[in-house]
Amino acid sequence: MSTLALPARRAPDSQAVILMIVLCAIWGLQQVAIKSANVALPPVFQAGLRSAIAALLVWGWAKSRGTPLFRADGTLSAGLFAGVLFAGEFVCIFLGLTMTSASRMAVFLYTAPCFTALGLHWFTPGERMRRTQWVGIGVAFAGMALAFADGFARTGTKDMHAILTGLAGDALGVLAGALWATTTVVVRSSTLAQVSASKTLFYQLAVSGVVLLALAAGLGQIEVRTVTPLAIAALGYQAVVVAFVSYLTWFWLLTRYMASRLSVFSFLTPLFGVTFGVLLLGESFSSRFLAAALLVLAGIALVNAPAGKLQGR
């Protein structure tokens, strides 16, 4: 991957921090929406529909603002690559969730910021991280893992087939995190860094929509089961709020701020997921979760602290 002369990105300011917290809350609710829509739509078909609907919304948004999406600008190969990576991430997530628990998937998926920081460190000189920031990523990941430690304890089994199936699901979670991180690195260190957020997102949604719907057809998953208002609302939330609004905001942020500093906020997403479980599903809130949340916040603070306040490379 080539290193381009890219516009300098700045560290997150208060606007970026607020937006990232809102985005993490939106993404934290996404698992609830996916499960709610599963009664009506098979998982891969559901993911493909989400991408296709959101792609149409991005096209309409770009057209209304006069933002060109189909102008030849040297981004086609990078855009197609990012779209395939995006599709692969969601294939891993949806298939992995049939093999392992949601809590384990969250832990392994949110290794993505670690992969992102590593990739940006190698491919984007302006994103190189200090030693203290690497420690911050470690602290945040430790806090996030602690939040789901109880889930690990409940998955114990002596059934070898179940163990191997669970390990395969875990591996898909790690692969999904790596694909998510690779997508971020591609966007940040390729020609996509020089185009609008709308075009960057359109590439990923359009390509993933085609790939996922084709895969769903190949798997025999093109079907609509029992349709309920909740399932329709859940699919709408995924397509409009998550895939359109939140992703467009995310790629807009990537055009202005350092990706390595932004990506660490994603550690908050599974914690929001647990919070929504407490508020919406009546799950218990433990002191373990509070300690985990404090660790995550401490890690984010370390990664985003100004260079002048933290010495050490």
Side-chain angles (χ1 to χ4, degrees):
M1 196 176 298
S2 61
T3 55
L4 303 175
L6 301 173
R9 266 52 170 187
R10 60 183 185 271
D13 53 22
S14 58
Q15 173 184 251
V17 170
I18 292 171
L19 283 175
M20 281 305 303
I21 292 173
V22 172
L23 291 182
C24 289
I26 290 172
W27 297 336
L29 187 58
Q30 181 177 211
Q31 297 299 325
V32 175
I34 290 172
K35 290 181 180 296
S36 298
N38 274 343
V39 298
L41 301 166
V44 178
F45 183 40
Q46 180 187 157
L49 280 179
R50 183 188 73 160
S51 287
I53 294 170
L56 290 174
L57 292 173
V58 171
W59 174 78
W61 168 261
K63 186 175 181 179
S64 70
R65 295 174 61 84
T67 303
L69 295 181
F70 302 103
R71 178 185 299 167
D73 53 13
T75 62
L76 181 60
S77 59
L80 292 176
F81 184 38
V84 171
L85 290 170
F86 188 79
E89 175 193 341
F90 284 97
V91 168
C92 291
I93 291 171
F94 281 105
L95 294 182
L97 281 171
T98 66
M99 303 177 189
T100 191
S101 68
S103 60
R104 293 183 71 88
M105 173 60 70
V107 170
F108 294 113
L109 174 61
Y110 285 92
T111 56
C114 299
F115 291 125
T116 299
L118 182 60
L120 291 171
H121 180 79
W122 286 105
F123 294 112
T124 310
E127 296 271 10
R128 295 191 184 280
M129 299 183 71
R130 302 183 306 277
R131 184 178 303 141
T132 309
Q133 293 171 311
W134 285 106
V135 172
I137 285 182
V139 170
F141 182 75
M144 194 255 306
L146 177 62
F148 292 95
D150 289 335
F152 289 159
R154 289 193 293 269
T155 58
T157 178
K158 295 182 179 179
D159 185 338
M160 183 56 66
H161 180 266
I163 292 174
L164 293 177
T165 299
L167 288 175
D170 293 346
L172 285 172
V174 174
L175 181 57
L179 288 171
W180 177 10
T182 304
T183 304
T184 301
V185 174
V186 168
V187 169
R188 180 63 181 89
S189 59
S190 72
T191 51
L192 291 174
Q194 300 171 325
V195 299
S196 67
S198 297
K199 184 163 187 174
T200 298
L201 180 56
F202 184 76
Y203 269 126
Q204 294 179 70
L205 292 172
V207 173
S208 66
V210 171
V211 171
L212 290 168
L213 289 175
L215 180 59
L219 294 173
Q221 290 192 7
I222 301 293
E223 62 174 321
V224 178
R225 301 165 182 161
T226 304
V227 178
T228 65
L230 179 59
I232 294 173
L235 179 62
Y237 175 80
Q238 292 182 66
V240 179
V241 179
V242 178
F244 173 49
V245 176
S246 77
Y247 290 169
L248 191 61
T249 303
W250 164 247
F251 287 114
W252 176 82
L253 286 168
L254 285 180
T255 66
R256 287 161 173 75
Y257 301 97
M258 298 175 70
S260 57
R261 303 287 187 90
L262 292 174
S263 64
V264 76
F265 279 90
S266 63
F267 281 120
L268 287 172
T269 301
L271 300 182
F272 272 116
V274 172
T275 300
F276 286 129
V278 172
L279 296 177
L280 302 178
L281 303 177
E283 298 175 352
S284 60
F285 183 90
S286 67
S287 58
R288 185 193 297 269
F289 174 78
L290 178 59
L294 292 175
L295 281 175
V296 170
L297 293 174
I300 290 173
L302 285 172
V303 171
N304 288 280
K309 292 185 179 181
L310 294 174
Q311 302 298 324
R313 281 189 62 84

